[in-house]
Amino acid sequence: PLEMSAKKPVPFLRQVVSVTKKVHRDPRFDDLSGEYKPEIFMKTYSFLDSIKKQEKEMVQKQLKKCRNVEQKEKLQQLLNRMTQQEQAQKKQQKLRERELSLKRQQRELAKQGKKPFFLKKSEKRKLELAEKYAELKRSGKLESFLNKKRKRNAIKDKRRLPSQKNL
């Protein structure tokens, strides 16, 4: 802005120089970025999986060489986080594949002229539990899983029951 004399009164109609404001756009909410499709995203950034694998191996090597207790603990936590992320990604991928297979089946039925039938959320959950049960049975960890579940439920039941002091 121009410096004006303080002694001179400001004119009623003064000239204002407009400044163009830079518009920031967020790609998450902007239509210009396109629609998010997880399948395309996974294909585009699939090279990151190999990089993550290399980093995990590197952390494992450092963990074996490391002598410092604090440093070793930090590396162990990092390794655990990496494995958990990997497992979560695999689980998400399985879920996506299951949904896609259900959609394919519905399309095939629609092509045959039948009415499409969509599963409820509860029915999807039941199918998922049945699959988990079969997986645990195959791996031989079913009994330990059921024991843990029984213990958890027993603890919940104990909490719900009124205590002996109140009687």
Side-chain angles (χ1 to χ4, degrees):
L2 294 169
E3 279 188 39
M4 299 183 83
S5 171
K7 294 175 181 149
K8 216 170 157 186
V10 180
F12 181 72
L13 295 169
R14 62 179 177 186
Q15 287 183 337
V16 179
V17 180
S18 61
V19 180
T20 55
K21 190 176 180 183
K22 194 172 186 180
V23 179
H24 297 284
R25 66 181 197 92
D26 194 340
R28 295 174 296 175
F29 310 112
D30 203 351
D31 291 332
L32 292 171
S33 300
E35 195 177 325
Y36 172 69
K37 294 178 184 170
E39 295 83 26
I40 295 171
F41 183 85
M42 290 301 290
K43 283 180 186 174
T44 310
Y45 294 101
S46 60
F47 67 93
L48 289 176
D49 293 335
S50 61
I51 294 171
K52 284 180 182 178
K53 206 172 199 177
Q54 288 173 352
E55 285 179 351
K56 189 177 174 183
E57 289 170 3
M58 194 173 70
V59 169
Q60 285 173 335
K61 286 178 185 175
Q62 284 180 347
L63 190 66
K64 286 180 183 177
K65 290 179 183 177
C66 189
R67 299 278 179 242
N68 190 355
V69 179
E70 291 175 16
Q71 187 70 23
K72 201 168 192 175
E73 198 173 292
K74 283 182 181 178
L75 286 171
Q76 188 63 46
Q77 286 176 349
L78 179 65
L79 189 65
N80 287 342
R81 191 169 68 230
M82 285 175 151
T83 52
Q84 284 174 352
Q85 285 175 350
E86 196 175 300
Q87 287 172 352
Q89 194 175 10
K90 284 180 184 176
K91 190 177 179 182
Q92 209 171 25
Q93 185 66 29
K94 271 188 179 179
L95 225 161
R96 241 187 252 115
E97 286 173 6
R98 192 181 307 123
E99 285 178 9
L100 282 172
S101 67
L102 286 171
K103 281 184 183 178
R104 282 190 202 112
Q105 287 175 355
Q106 292 303 323
R107 280 194 200 114
E108 286 173 19
L109 290 173
K111 283 179 183 176
Q112 292 172 4
K114 294 180 182 174
K115 231 180 185 181
F117 175 75
F118 300 103
L119 289 172
K120 294 179 194 171
K121 213 174 193 180
S122 59
E123 291 172 355
K124 283 182 185 177
R125 203 176 298 125
K126 283 179 186 175
L127 285 172
E128 199 173 309
L129 279 171
E131 199 174 298
K132 188 176 182 180
Y133 180 84
E135 180 66 36
L136 285 168
K137 198 169 188 177
R138 244 184 279 124
S139 63
K141 296 177 183 177
L142 179 65
E143 199 58 44
S144 63
F145 174 77
L146 289 175
N147 284 336
K148 284 179 187 176
K149 190 114 178 144
R150 279 190 208 106
K151 282 181 185 177
R152 259 186 259 134
N153 288 338
I155 290 168
K156 283 181 185 176
D157 290 342
K158 277 185 182 178
R159 277 198 212 120
R160 288 186 189 133
L161 287 172
S163 63
Q164 292 294 325
K165 294 174 186 175
N166 295 342
L167 298 174

